Amino acid sequence: MTDFCDKDALHPVVVARFLFTRKFPCAQRALGFDVSGVDLEVAGDKVTLNGAVNSRAELEKIVLAVGNTKGVATVENNLIAPDYDPEQPSGIHIVVAGDTLWKIAQEHYGDGNRFQEIFEANKPMLSDPDKI
């Protein structure tokens, strides 16, 4: 059995499956999410997230982690965060074939050299800036 407290053994899909069970708080810490105020409901392949988180960045990472879990087709996001404004565009970029972090940084920031900021913001879902 995988040691869920061994950060090197963690895989985002495995962690997402156990993220909300409260049985593996070390997995939550490894991903950097505080999910203490989040409730999760599962109905078939649909996951509904309810509750509050600390920031919009955390909210978006949680939604992405759950949405990228094998067997999850849709995520209904009912999470709230103090700095979340649903009228503002999301910081989420849908990756398509041919995308690179450089290209995304150039598109969103006007400077491809800022790709490292995108990489850092998306850890641990990205393990290498050249593999997205």
mmCIF file of all heavy atoms in Angstrom, residues 36-62:
data_model
loop_
_atom_site.group_PDB
_atom_site.id
_atom_site.type_symbol
_atom_site.label_atom_id
_atom_site.label_comp_id
_atom_site.label_asym_id
_atom_site.label_seq_id
_atom_site.Cartn_x
_atom_site.Cartn_y
_atom_site.Cartn_z
ATOM 1 N N SER A 36 -10.236 22.052 5.218
ATOM 2 C CA SER A 36 -10.991 21.872 6.461
ATOM 3 C C SER A 36 -12.400 22.452 6.387
ATOM 4 O O SER A 36 -13.292 21.992 7.082
ATOM 5 C CB SER A 36 -10.229 22.491 7.635
ATOM 6 O OG SER A 36 -9.996 23.867 7.419
ATOM 7 N N GLY A 37 -12.630 23.441 5.524
ATOM 8 C CA GLY A 37 -13.962 24.032 5.398
ATOM 9 C C GLY A 37 -14.724 23.570 4.177
ATOM 10 O O GLY A 37 -15.707 24.190 3.776
ATOM 11 N N VAL A 38 -14.280 22.461 3.567
ATOM 12 C CA VAL A 38 -14.878 21.983 2.322
ATOM 13 C C VAL A 38 -15.621 20.679 2.558
ATOM 14 O O VAL A 38 -15.122 19.775 3.216
ATOM 15 C CB VAL A 38 -13.792 21.773 1.238
ATOM 16 C CG1 VAL A 38 -14.403 21.227 -0.043
ATOM 17 C CG2 VAL A 38 -13.044 23.068 0.977
ATOM 18 N N ASP A 39 -16.823 20.599 1.987
ATOM 19 C CA ASP A 39 -17.587 19.353 1.983
ATOM 20 C C ASP A 39 -17.676 18.862 0.552
ATOM 21 O O ASP A 39 -17.798 19.647 -0.384
ATOM 22 C CB ASP A 39 -19.001 19.574 2.532
ATOM 23 C CG ASP A 39 -19.000 19.828 4.024
ATOM 24 O OD1 ASP A 39 -18.289 19.096 4.737
ATOM 25 O OD2 ASP A 39 -19.689 20.759 4.463
ATOM 26 N N LEU A 40 -17.640 17.563 0.406
ATOM 27 C CA LEU A 40 -17.633 16.926 -0.904
ATOM 28 C C LEU A 40 -18.819 15.987 -0.997
ATOM 29 O O LEU A 40 -19.047 15.198 -0.090
ATOM 30 C CB LEU A 40 -16.328 16.137 -1.042
ATOM 31 C CG LEU A 40 -16.136 15.330 -2.301
ATOM 32 C CD1 LEU A 40 -15.389 16.176 -3.307
ATOM 33 C CD2 LEU A 40 -15.334 14.088 -1.987
ATOM 34 N N GLU A 41 -19.582 16.096 -2.088
ATOM 35 C CA GLU A 41 -20.684 15.177 -2.354
ATOM 36 C C GLU A 41 -20.423 14.502 -3.694
ATOM 37 O O GLU A 41 -20.059 15.173 -4.658
ATOM 38 C CB GLU A 41 -22.010 15.933 -2.427
ATOM 39 C CG GLU A 41 -22.402 16.645 -1.149
ATOM 40 C CD GLU A 41 -23.630 17.537 -1.336
ATOM 41 O OE1 GLU A 41 -24.355 17.360 -2.332
ATOM 42 O OE2 GLU A 41 -23.828 18.414 -0.486
ATOM 43 N N VAL A 42 -20.598 13.208 -3.742
ATOM 44 C CA VAL A 42 -20.372 12.454 -4.972
ATOM 45 C C VAL A 42 -21.667 11.781 -5.379
ATOM 46 O O VAL A 42 -22.312 11.113 -4.573
ATOM 47 C CB VAL A 42 -19.269 11.386 -4.784
ATOM 48 C CG1 VAL A 42 -19.063 10.601 -6.064
ATOM 49 C CG2 VAL A 42 -17.976 12.036 -4.316
ATOM 50 N N ALA A 43 -22.052 11.987 -6.631
ATOM 51 C CA ALA A 43 -23.224 11.330 -7.206
ATOM 52 C C ALA A 43 -22.812 10.788 -8.571
ATOM 53 O O ALA A 43 -22.731 11.540 -9.541
ATOM 54 C CB ALA A 43 -24.389 12.296 -7.328
ATOM 55 N N GLY A 44 -22.502 9.510 -8.612
ATOM 56 C CA GLY A 44 -22.020 8.925 -9.864
ATOM 57 C C GLY A 44 -20.675 9.517 -10.227
ATOM 58 O O GLY A 44 -19.736 9.469 -9.445
ATOM 59 N N ASP A 45 -20.595 10.136 -11.416
ATOM 60 C CA ASP A 45 -19.332 10.743 -11.842
ATOM 61 C C ASP A 45 -19.325 12.260 -11.647
ATOM 62 O O ASP A 45 -18.479 12.956 -12.180
ATOM 63 C CB ASP A 45 -19.027 10.385 -13.294
ATOM 64 C CG ASP A 45 -20.088 10.868 -14.274
ATOM 65 O OD1 ASP A 45 -21.075 11.512 -13.851
ATOM 66 O OD2 ASP A 45 -19.917 10.614 -15.483
ATOM 67 N N LYS A 46 -20.291 12.760 -10.870
ATOM 68 C CA LYS A 46 -20.367 14.193 -10.578
ATOM 69 C C LYS A 46 -19.962 14.442 -9.132
ATOM 70 O O LYS A 46 -20.429 13.768 -8.212
ATOM 71 C CB LYS A 46 -21.781 14.724 -10.798
ATOM 72 C CG LYS A 46 -21.927 16.195 -10.468
ATOM 73 C CD LYS A 46 -23.365 16.668 -10.620
ATOM 74 C CE LYS A 46 -23.510 18.121 -10.204
ATOM 75 N NZ LYS A 46 -24.904 18.562 -10.285
ATOM 76 N N VAL A 47 -19.079 15.435 -8.930
ATOM 77 C CA VAL A 47 -18.646 15.830 -7.596
ATOM 78 C C VAL A 47 -19.105 17.260 -7.353
ATOM 79 O O VAL A 47 -18.923 18.134 -8.199
ATOM 80 C CB VAL A 47 -17.116 15.742 -7.450
ATOM 81 C CG1 VAL A 47 -16.663 16.255 -6.091
ATOM 82 C CG2 VAL A 47 -16.630 14.313 -7.677
ATOM 83 N N THR A 48 -19.721 17.486 -6.202
ATOM 84 C CA THR A 48 -20.146 18.825 -5.804
ATOM 85 C C THR A 48 -19.297 19.266 -4.622
ATOM 86 O O THR A 48 -19.168 18.540 -3.635
ATOM 87 C CB THR A 48 -21.635 18.844 -5.417
ATOM 88 O OG1 THR A 48 -22.397 18.371 -6.542
ATOM 89 C CG2 THR A 48 -22.093 20.249 -5.062
ATOM 90 N N LEU A 49 -18.706 20.455 -4.747
ATOM 91 C CA LEU A 49 -17.880 21.026 -3.689
ATOM 92 C C LEU A 49 -18.646 22.162 -3.024
ATOM 93 O O LEU A 49 -19.116 23.077 -3.696
ATOM 94 C CB LEU A 49 -16.575 21.571 -4.278
ATOM 95 C CG LEU A 49 -15.684 20.554 -4.984
ATOM 96 C CD1 LEU A 49 -14.558 21.262 -5.732
ATOM 97 C CD2 LEU A 49 -15.114 19.574 -3.987
ATOM 98 N N ASN A 50 -18.776 22.097 -1.707
ATOM 99 C CA ASN A 50 -19.457 23.131 -0.936
ATOM 100 C C ASN A 50 -18.539 23.589 0.182
ATOM 101 O O ASN A 50 -17.751 22.804 0.712
ATOM 102 C CB ASN A 50 -20.749 22.582 -0.308
ATOM 103 C CG ASN A 50 -21.733 22.126 -1.356
ATOM 104 O OD1 ASN A 50 -22.175 22.889 -2.185
ATOM 105 N ND2 ASN A 50 -22.060 20.842 -1.320
ATOM 106 N N GLY A 51 -18.655 24.857 0.574
ATOM 107 C CA GLY A 51 -17.899 25.349 1.714
ATOM 108 C C GLY A 51 -17.068 26.563 1.378
ATOM 109 O O GLY A 51 -17.321 27.269 0.402
ATOM 110 N N ALA A 52 -16.062 26.799 2.210
ATOM 111 C CA ALA A 52 -15.227 27.992 2.075
ATOM 112 C C ALA A 52 -13.753 27.620 2.116
ATOM 113 O O ALA A 52 -13.352 26.699 2.825
ATOM 114 C CB ALA A 52 -15.547 28.971 3.195
ATOM 115 N N VAL A 53 -12.970 28.356 1.339
ATOM 116 C CA VAL A 53 -11.522 28.191 1.311
ATOM 117 C C VAL A 53 -10.869 29.556 1.526
ATOM 118 O O VAL A 53 -11.546 30.577 1.547
ATOM 119 C CB VAL A 53 -11.042 27.552 -0.011
ATOM 120 C CG1 VAL A 53 -11.571 26.133 -0.148
ATOM 121 C CG2 VAL A 53 -11.471 28.368 -1.210
ATOM 122 N N ASN A 54 -9.550 29.558 1.647
ATOM 123 C CA ASN A 54 -8.826 30.774 2.012
ATOM 124 C C ASN A 54 -8.598 31.761 0.885
ATOM 125 O O ASN A 54 -8.420 32.950 1.128
ATOM 126 C CB ASN A 54 -7.479 30.405 2.630
ATOM 127 C CG ASN A 54 -7.654 29.631 3.914
ATOM 128 O OD1 ASN A 54 -8.526 29.929 4.717
ATOM 129 N ND2 ASN A 54 -6.833 28.621 4.104
ATOM 130 N N SER A 55 -8.561 31.277 -0.365
ATOM 131 C CA SER A 55 -8.248 32.180 -1.475
ATOM 132 C C SER A 55 -8.788 31.633 -2.792
ATOM 133 O O SER A 55 -9.085 30.445 -2.910
ATOM 134 C CB SER A 55 -6.739 32.371 -1.606
ATOM 135 O OG SER A 55 -6.132 31.169 -2.034
ATOM 136 N N ARG A 56 -8.866 32.521 -3.770
ATOM 137 C CA ARG A 56 -9.302 32.108 -5.105
ATOM 138 C C ARG A 56 -8.319 31.107 -5.699
ATOM 139 O O ARG A 56 -8.730 30.138 -6.337
ATOM 140 C CB ARG A 56 -9.417 33.333 -6.022
ATOM 141 C CG ARG A 56 -9.841 32.971 -7.421
ATOM 142 C CD ARG A 56 -9.909 34.169 -8.330
ATOM 143 N NE ARG A 56 -10.371 33.756 -9.642
ATOM 144 C CZ ARG A 56 -11.120 34.488 -10.419
ATOM 145 N NH1 ARG A 56 -11.503 35.678 -10.039
ATOM 146 N NH2 ARG A 56 -11.497 34.037 -11.589
ATOM 147 N N ALA A 57 -7.036 31.330 -5.473
ATOM 148 C CA ALA A 57 -6.025 30.408 -6.004
ATOM 149 C C ALA A 57 -6.233 29.007 -5.442
ATOM 150 O O ALA A 57 -6.168 28.012 -6.173
ATOM 151 C CB ALA A 57 -4.625 30.917 -5.685
ATOM 152 N N GLU A 58 -6.490 28.919 -4.139
ATOM 153 C CA GLU A 58 -6.740 27.626 -3.509
ATOM 154 C C GLU A 58 -8.018 27.005 -4.062
ATOM 155 O O GLU A 58 -8.069 25.807 -4.350
ATOM 156 C CB GLU A 58 -6.843 27.815 -1.996
ATOM 157 C CG GLU A 58 -6.761 26.542 -1.218
ATOM 158 C CD GLU A 58 -6.598 26.824 0.266
ATOM 159 O OE1 GLU A 58 -7.633 27.009 0.941
ATOM 160 O OE2 GLU A 58 -5.448 26.857 0.729
ATOM 161 N N LEU A 59 -9.054 27.805 -4.223
ATOM 162 C CA LEU A 59 -10.327 27.335 -4.778
ATOM 163 C C LEU A 59 -10.101 26.706 -6.150
ATOM 164 O O LEU A 59 -10.547 25.594 -6.417
ATOM 165 C CB LEU A 59 -11.303 28.515 -4.871
ATOM 166 C CG LEU A 59 -12.700 28.264 -5.419
ATOM 167 C CD1 LEU A 59 -13.671 29.276 -4.822
ATOM 168 C CD2 LEU A 59 -12.748 28.358 -6.922
ATOM 169 N N GLU A 60 -9.379 27.414 -7.019
ATOM 170 C CA GLU A 60 -9.159 26.912 -8.375
ATOM 171 C C GLU A 60 -8.315 25.638 -8.379
ATOM 172 O O GLU A 60 -8.577 24.717 -9.148
ATOM 173 C CB GLU A 60 -8.538 27.999 -9.244
ATOM 174 C CG GLU A 60 -9.531 29.128 -9.522
ATOM 175 C CD GLU A 60 -8.961 30.261 -10.356
ATOM 176 O OE1 GLU A 60 -7.742 30.281 -10.622
ATOM 177 O OE2 GLU A 60 -9.748 31.139 -10.736
ATOM 178 N N LYS A 61 -7.323 25.554 -7.502
ATOM 179 C CA LYS A 61 -6.497 24.336 -7.437
ATOM 180 C C LYS A 61 -7.315 23.140 -6.965
ATOM 181 O O LYS A 61 -7.156 22.033 -7.480
ATOM 182 C CB LYS A 61 -5.296 24.549 -6.529
ATOM 183 C CG LYS A 61 -4.220 25.402 -7.153
ATOM 184 C CD LYS A 61 -3.030 25.509 -6.225
ATOM 185 C CE LYS A 61 -1.937 26.358 -6.823
ATOM 186 N NZ LYS A 61 -0.753 26.416 -5.945
ATOM 187 N N ILE A 62 -8.184 23.356 -5.991
ATOM 188 C CA ILE A 62 -9.015 22.255 -5.490
ATOM 189 C C ILE A 62 -9.955 21.764 -6.588
ATOM 190 O O ILE A 62 -10.082 20.565 -6.824
ATOM 191 C CB ILE A 62 -9.793 22.682 -4.234
ATOM 192 C CG1 ILE A 62 -8.828 22.878 -3.059
ATOM 193 C CG2 ILE A 62 -10.876 21.661 -3.888
ATOM 194 C CD1 ILE A 62 -9.443 23.539 -1.848
#
